[in-house]
Amino acid sequence: MTDPLLAIDDLHVHFHTEEGTVEALDGVDLEVYGDEVVGVIGESGCGKTVTMLSVMGLLQSPPAEVVGGSIRYDGRDLLTCSESELNEIRGEEISMIYQDPMTSLNPVLTVGRQVSEVLLAHRDISKRDARERSVEMLDACGLADPERLMDEYPHSLSGGMRQRVMIAMALVTEPNLLIADEPTTALDVTIQAQVMEVLRELRSDHEVSIVFITHDLPLVSEIADRIAVMYAGTVAETCSVERLFDRPLHPYTRKLTESIPKLDQPATRLPSIDGTVPSLVDPPDGCRFASRCPQFIGEECRSVTPALTDVSGTGRHEVACHLYTDVSEASPPWPVDDEDRTAQQPTAETDDGGRR
Amino acid sequence: MSDLQEGRSGRPNRSDESTTQSPDEETQLPSRRRKVAGRLIRNRLALLGSGIVLALVLTALFAPYIAPYDPVEQDYAALEQPPSLEHPFGTDTLGRDVFSRVVFGAKYAVFLGLVIVGFEMLLGVTLGLVAGYYGGMVESVIMRVVDVALSIPGVVLALAIAGMLGGGLIPLVIAISLVGWRGFTRLVRGDVKGVMEEEYIDAAKGAGVSDARLIVQHILPNVASSIIVYATLTIPTVILWAAGLSFLGMGVSPPTPEWGALIANGRGEIDDAWWISTFPGLAIMVTVIGFNVLGDGLRDALDPRQSEL
Amino acid sequence: MSTQERTTDTDGERPDDPIVRVHELEKHFPIKGGILQRTVGHVRAVDGVSFDIQTGETLGLVGESGCGKSTLGRTMARLEEATSGSVEFDGRDVTTASKRELKAIRRNVQMIFQDPASSLNPRMTVSQIITEPMRSLTDWSKSKREDRLYQLIEEVGLSKAHLSRAPHEFSGGQQQRVAIARALSVNPQFVIADEPTSALDVSVQADILNLLKDLQDEYDLTYLFISHDLSVVRHISDRVMVMYLGEVAEIAPTERLFDAPKHPYTRALLSSIPRASAGAMDDRIVLEGTVPSPEDPPDGCRFHPRCQEYIGEVCERTDPEVEPVDGRADHVCACHHY
């Protein structure tokens, strides 16, 4: 196996706030290989954005503090890079697109200026070349009449167009890694479909690895090769998209996939997860999902933090759960809904639908 | 960052573990107040401001016990004496103890500051609430009056009103109040407009809440913090204005130890007896700084963006 | 031409007992311009919408941002004044009701909002928030209000200990539970839920959807469920109405709308939903362009500039009527194809 492009290892990030220290990330491990799309999913507060801001070196400190771990990009440890070294990497080799296209473009500069500025900052090229290159990129992002668009101001663009401009800005320097933080959340579903189409095309045209952060599992499964599921500042499970649907292992992942209303399923009662995410100020010891876990197996869950370990032996399927610490017993012996306390209706039929 | 904030709001039930008492419908929210107070105490400057303001109020309350002399008693044996142990701030042209006069002046400063700002708030906040809430014609009329009022220089307006009503304490209060309310109206109307955008206002309307209750129960508490800050920052301005008008002879009458009047009193002697004007001036300065610093601190402590983080 | 006439004429498959009848409802917002703030145009947020809602059903209302679905909900709750048309609730017109009549209507028509953080007054306690509608809309005694409060707080899955807390001490899901308790405190018959789960995480969303269903069963509630999320709408609705640019595109029973969508817009919308299965993207219809401005909607069929099944000039000239398709009274669609 080749070396990963990006390797996050045991990353710990704390936020110092009035109410105490928020342990936002508690040992996050994540690897992104060349030409791979990794979907990072999780609910609000799970640390997915914080992880990627750490990669970009964009965490505001204070209140944030990286207390441990390393982030290696292409052999360099980003956490020890100076600000100027980071500036060279950011935009040139790693780019990021953000959730809200309405606020991430500067309203007083033309689209052309903003796109070509990225190029001029990182490349030794003339303004004319930068403009030409920008026009090509806007065109590649599916924007009609890019020449005219170059002289427009952001306010005259719709949300979907702005997000495509953002994508063009992020990709104009042909970075190796693109971090997309909920890039379609603010968009309507038909526009979301357009943007996803652009991302898919760009991915096949350019060799770029993408980290796609989202809370929308069906959406990310359209584009990702591999999924990392995060929960309360930890990575619960990483595996291929197929395995995530066929054979999710972590109890949280299973619950999460079940609680999504599905289009191709009759309306039944939705399984939900009891309880709430634990406080990250002084979080519980052991597995952070223990208090809500339907497959809680005892003291071990409450006292020992499960490590993210490979359970498949062959492929890359890692899970952080004590159920699987003994690899020989890796295959889950129970049907998913057996211990569900809230749902009565779910039957074999719904199970099949979800995990086909 | 948003990720973090949501994460923290996703963690309920932390404070007030003991609050299991019967749900009185009017229960207040102590946790928020405690937070604001905590923030204020941690801010050194704001603490200094509170100290000055507290000292001022105590001085005003206990003036007769603090002042070593009667502030209006004339002592012809000690005219224009420089500061000494006996007269820490010296004496004035009539032999009155400047320190005692400054101490009694605090009474006027506090009284004028509070009363005038109170009147300004009553008028300004009411009009601002009405303008912001009803909008349309009502708002246009109120805001045009504000615009016109703002186009007249405040000093001219206050002098004209004070002149019309003749000198004295009451005309002084009226004159300054009539100048100052406009700021409150603008501020409150803008804030109300912002609050009206919130969904809880729609929710309250959908719950059939009457206009009056909506304004008092739902809108006012949500604009209160900026009113408090603005009021705190207005008090020193008002004290300055009162001093200014008294200095110009439009305020309180001569023997009264009002700070502005004290400065005016020593104006002619500044070369020979600098202490007569200087100490009241310093008193004004310290007071103004104290209120301003406290106001800034309050603003930081009450700022909703900060209280979220 | 209204759908309710049809459902009354023809023998529908469901009992015809509408609790809400919306007829040719329009809501236009003036656009002010120039120094004098004259009205220079109108945003036609809701532009001639007719439908009805049967007692006890959940009507899902879907559409993209700017289609007027929220404005429709707000106008039905009289949070906006209608420009024209009527909203009859139980035979009384909401749009022209006097203040007193409106109070009576509001006891039966309540609303749940999208953002629970914003729909709860930060300066009030949970108990103040939940009792507010009871104070204003009923003449219940204090002890009756408290009984109801205690009952409700448990029913929505919170406890009495939560009552003296402020909204910001709760998670989004818990806040939405408080908002639901507030809406149900006066025992309404009809609840308008405007994107009640779109600000929530999926696992929390499941909780809230389940809660809404339970409460519907218990109190025989009728819901208008507004959402942009078709999966959620499919999950909770009996019938679904699709809006585009202030007009009704299609109304059909849920199963039918998802199995046999007629309007080209509905079909594009359905195919845009990300699916968790492989191969789902192959037949995706990716629409060109974006929703035009409701200030200046296209002539004829409002969808024609983006329509993948544009059939000619008739689409550009004539605004299609909302008419039954496949001879079914319960499936109506506004398209020249049919």
Side-chain angles (χ1 to χ4, degrees), chain A residues 32-345:
Chain A
V32 181
Y33 291 85
D35 200 21
E36 180 186 45
V37 179
V38 176
V40 177
I41 71 156
E43 302 179 271
S44 347
C46 72
K48 50 193 195 297
T49 299
V50 174
T51 308
M52 291 311 141
L53 288 176
S54 318
V55 172
M56 294 295 282
L58 292 176
L59 276 181
Q60 253 193 25
S61 178
E65 186 196 355
V66 178
V67 287
S70 69
I71 302 173
R72 300 191 73 76
Y73 169 80
D74 210 12
R76 278 168 293 181
D77 190 343
L78 295 183
L79 292 177
T80 57
C81 278
S82 68
E83 191 62 21
S84 64
E85 284 173 304
L86 273 179
N87 272 336
E88 255 169 50
I89 296 171
R90 279 195 295 243
E92 172 75 34
E93 295 182 45
I94 308 178
S95 303
M96 189 155 174
I97 43 182
Y98 302 88
Q99 177 169 350
D100 189 356
M102 293 301 172
T103 56
S104 39
L105 285 172
N106 187 333
V108 298
L109 299 178
T110 60
V111 167
R113 172 99 187 262
Q114 296 188 58
V115 179
S116 50
E117 199 168 52
V118 191
L119 269 178
L120 292 168
H122 290 281
R123 298 279 160 78
D124 188 21
I125 58 171
S126 68
K127 277 197 171 173
R128 178 189 300 246
D129 289 346
R131 188 182 165 93
E132 210 167 282
R133 182 78 198 93
S134 306
V135 172
E136 282 170 29
M137 201 63 230
L138 290 175
D139 191 43
C141 288
L143 287 156
D145 202 358
E147 277 286 353
R148 191 182 50 83
L149 199 67
M150 290 288 282
D151 301 318
E152 299 265 2
Y153 286 89
H155 67 84
S156 58
L157 274 54
S158 68
M161 287 166 83
R162 286 185 210 203
Q163 198 57 294
R164 277 186 264 191
V165 170
M166 288 301 299
I167 296 172
M169 268 172 77
L171 291 179
V172 72
T173 55
E174 299 186 343
N176 298 321
L177 179 62
L178 174 69
I179 297 172
D181 186 0
E182 308 241 5
T184 62
T185 305
L187 306 176
D188 278 319
V189 26
T190 60
I191 309 300
Q192 167 172 288
Q194 294 172 351
V195 170
M196 291 304 282
E197 184 104 336
V198 168
L199 278 176
R200 268 193 300 274
E201 273 169 21
L202 289 170
R203 198 223 158 172
S204 56
D205 294 351
H206 304 256
E207 280 198 5
V208 59
S209 300
I210 303 177
V211 176
F212 195 100
I213 306 174
T214 183
H215 61 274
D216 189 340
L217 185 58
L219 176 73
V220 75
S221 67
E222 284 188 351
I223 191 168
D225 304 311
R226 214 153 51 84
I227 304 269
V229 181
M230 288 188 70
Y231 181 80
T234 59
V235 175
E237 184 165 5
T238 67
C239 62
S240 68
V241 174
E242 293 75 30
R243 278 189 73 96
L244 189 82
F245 288 105
D246 289 348
R247 223 178 185 211
L249 292 182
H250 198 286
Y252 173 66
T253 316
R254 294 155 171 248
K255 281 303 209 179
L256 191 68
T257 48
E258 285 164 24
S259 65
I260 303 167
K262 290 169 193 71
L263 263 189
D264 37 15
Q265 253 181 47
T268 50
R269 197 182 168 77
L270 290 168
S272 61
I273 310 178
D274 290 343
T276 49
V277 182
S279 161
L280 296 182
V281 179
D282 199 12
D285 286 339
C287 174
R288 287 190 172 181
F289 190 58
S291 61
R292 309 173 72 186
C293 184
Q295 268 110 28
F296 180 74
I297 50 169
E299 208 35 52
E300 206 181 358
C301 294
R302 234 181 263 143
S303 52
V304 185
T305 308
L308 194 61
T309 36
D310 184 29
V311 289
S312 61
T314 51
R316 299 199 302 258
H317 193 160
E318 297 172 309
V319 61
C321 176
H322 289 307
L323 287 170
Y324 310 101
T325 37
D326 187 353
V327 179
S328 58
E329 291 170 15
S331 75
W334 56 84
V336 175
D337 281 319
D338 258 15
E339 324 219 343
D340 196 327
R341 278 160 287 181
T342 49
Q344 281 93 43
Q345 292 100 316

Side-chain angles (χ1 to χ4, degrees), chain A residues 43-44 158 188-192 194 218-219 221-222 245 256 259 261 263 267-273 356, chain C residues 64-65 201-203 205 207 209-210 214 231 234-235 258 272-277 281 284 287 289-290 306:
Chain A
E43 302 179 271
S44 347
S158 68
D188 278 319
V189 26
T190 60
I191 309 300
Q192 167 172 288
Q194 294 172 351
L219 176 73
S221 67
E222 284 188 351
F245 288 105
L256 191 68
S259 65
L263 263 189
T268 50
R269 197 182 168 77
L270 290 168
S272 61
I273 310 178
R356 192 184 49 86
Chain C
E64 297 180 276
S65 44
D201 278 319
V202 271
S203 66
Q205 164 174 290
D207 281 335
L209 291 177
N210 289 339
D214 291 345
S231 321
R234 159 147 210 183
H235 182 78
F258 282 82
S272 302
I273 309 167
R275 262 165 244 234
S277 50
M281 277 123 54
R284 168 161 296 172
L287 286 180
T290 54
R306 303 174 76 196

Side-chain angles (χ1 to χ4, degrees), chain C residues 221-284:
Chain C
L221 294 169
T222 305
Y223 285 140
L224 174 65
F225 191 96
I226 303 171
S227 178
H228 68 278
D229 187 332
L230 286 135
S231 321
V232 171
V233 163
R234 159 147 210 183
H235 182 78
I236 199 158
S237 311
D238 300 307
R239 283 194 306 143
V240 177
M241 171 162 125
V242 181
M243 275 182 81
Y244 187 77
L245 264 185
E247 293 185 337
V248 172
E250 186 164 5
I251 307 175
T254 307
E255 290 303 313
R256 198 165 156 77
L257 187 97
F258 282 82
D259 293 345
K262 293 294 174 194
H263 199 286
Y265 176 65
T266 313
R267 282 196 255 163
L269 207 56
L270 285 177
S271 87
S272 302
I273 309 167
R275 262 165 244 234
S277 50
M281 277 123 54
D282 299 348
D283 52 353
R284 168 161 296 172

Side-chain angles (χ1 to χ4, degrees), chain B residues 184-199:
Chain B
F184 280 98
T185 305
R186 283 218 149 164
L187 172 86
V188 171
R189 175 253 194 180
D191 281 5
V192 169
K193 290 251 161 207
V195 171
M196 295 282 288
E197 302 280 307
E198 299 282 344
E199 276 182 347

